[in-house]
Amino acid sequence: MAVEPRDRGRNKAEDHLVGDELINVVDIEPVIGRPVQAAEPQGQPVGNGLPLAQVHPRGQRNARGGHAKAHARHTPVDMNGVRHAVAADELSERIRFFLTAALTASQTAGGYAPFALGCIAAAGPGADGAAALLGGVTGALLFLDIQEVLALAAVGILILTAATAFRDTAFLQKPWVLPVLAAGMVLAVGGIYVLQSLDPLSHAAPCAAASALTGVSAHFFTRLFQPEEDRLAPEGLLFLGAALTLALGDLTILNVSVGRVLLCALLAYTAYDQGPMTGVTAGLGLGLITDLSAGTSGLFTAAYGVAGLGAAKCRRRSMAALAFFSGAAAAMLTSREELAQTLLLETVAGSLLFLALPRRIFGGKRLLREAAPDIAQRTALKTHLNRAAEALRELYDSMSR
């Protein structure tokens, strides 16, 4: 399109030969990428506080780096996403560090720390495994002897090395690999110490028990920290709670173990809320773990198994607490262990603590009680319909005669 020039005297160089001015078209390229992040509020550091982020406020130019050139077309970095991802990874590593350090206080006969080793195995390779190993060694320095510290460190290093060697392979993805690997490492390293001891036969059973418990711990902790579903595995939470309460087993008040009191309350709650099958299974499992930690021969296994079954059979909390105490007392009367009388006091304290729990944390029995009226109404309706059908059938038979 031709446009008449406004000043032919001063714009001769822009005039066309035929007397019309040509319009110069300027190419405008669109900006590729996201808009520049808005300036931070006053007092907030640029880049959300990330060091060495090399992020400049709006309007500041770096002539030496050439950041002001439009043709660079660098997509802006979302510093919020980077910060949140880094913070999540650091939180996971810190949790594994402190959790493994705390679990080293839960020991079995012979000075083994199977729960901590199971947590190291469940962490797998990478930074999580290194954090768990560092936490286990730190806790071992606080709660174990130097020889036991060296044994735990050796097993932890072997577990982490093996997990790293099989990293990103289909073999490591199988659920039984890490538990079996951890149990084998404990058996191999512990077997060396057993053979070097003065009485290998007496030390063989604690070593084998610690090896099996390490594999079980790795299994439950793997399901807890790497759940297949969005929610945490309840059996993993129960196992973790039991392991942490046993860490307080040596803390006593009036010759009563604080850790075992908390374990009794946890078992009573689980049995009452989840039913007989879960109550018996949890009671036997937690009792076996307590026997291995306390060095007793079946006292807590029998007591917790019967107590869990009794509490699960009751619908009222007061009756469940009484049944829990009665089951433990019955097992105590048939035992000659030194901790039998202490078990009775611990069961009483655990039952009282169970009664003190708020009602809103109970789900299973409460939901069953709420569903009971609906079931009763359906049963009554079904009975009424059956009676009506029988009456109609008798009326039909009498008319056909």
Side-chain angles (χ1 to χ4, degrees), residues 21 43 63 122 176 186 190 195 213 221 249 261 317 401:
E21 182 180 2
W176 56 268
V186 173
L195 294 176
L213 192 55
F221 289 155
V261 169
R317 263 208 297 172
R401 295 174 185 174

Side-chain angles (χ1 to χ4, degrees), residues 31 71 117 124 160 176 200 215 226 240 243 255 278 290 294 296 305 327 329 333 354 360 370 390 396-397:
V31 178
H71 63 269
L117 293 174
L160 182 59
W176 56 268
Q226 301 174 4
L240 177 60
N255 202 25
T278 304
T290 308
T296 53
L333 294 176
F354 165 69
R360 62 176 177 271
E370 292 178 355
E390 292 178 359
Y396 176 78
D397 293 339

Side-chain angles (χ1 to χ4, degrees), residues 253-266 268 304 321 324-325 328 341-357:
I253 299 177
L254 299 178
N255 202 25
V256 175
S257 173
V258 175
R260 290 195 291 269
V261 169
L262 296 176
L263 186 64
C264 288
L266 177 63
Y304 288 170
F324 186 86
F325 165 74
Q341 296 180 355
T342 304
L343 170 64
L344 184 63
L345 298 177
E346 293 168 355
T347 307
V348 172
S351 300
L352 295 176
L353 183 59
F354 165 69
L355 291 175
L357 296 176

Side-chain angles (χ1 to χ4, degrees), residues 143-181:
F143 302 113
L144 301 178
D145 297 333
I146 185 62
Q147 184 177 1
E148 298 166 352
V149 172
L150 295 177
L152 184 141
V155 175
I157 291 173
L158 289 175
I159 293 174
L160 182 59
T161 303
T164 305
F166 294 104
R167 187 174 187 174
D168 299 330
T169 61
F171 178 72
L172 191 62
Q173 303 302 323
K174 298 179 180 180
W176 56 268
V177 172
L178 284 176
V180 173
L181 185 66

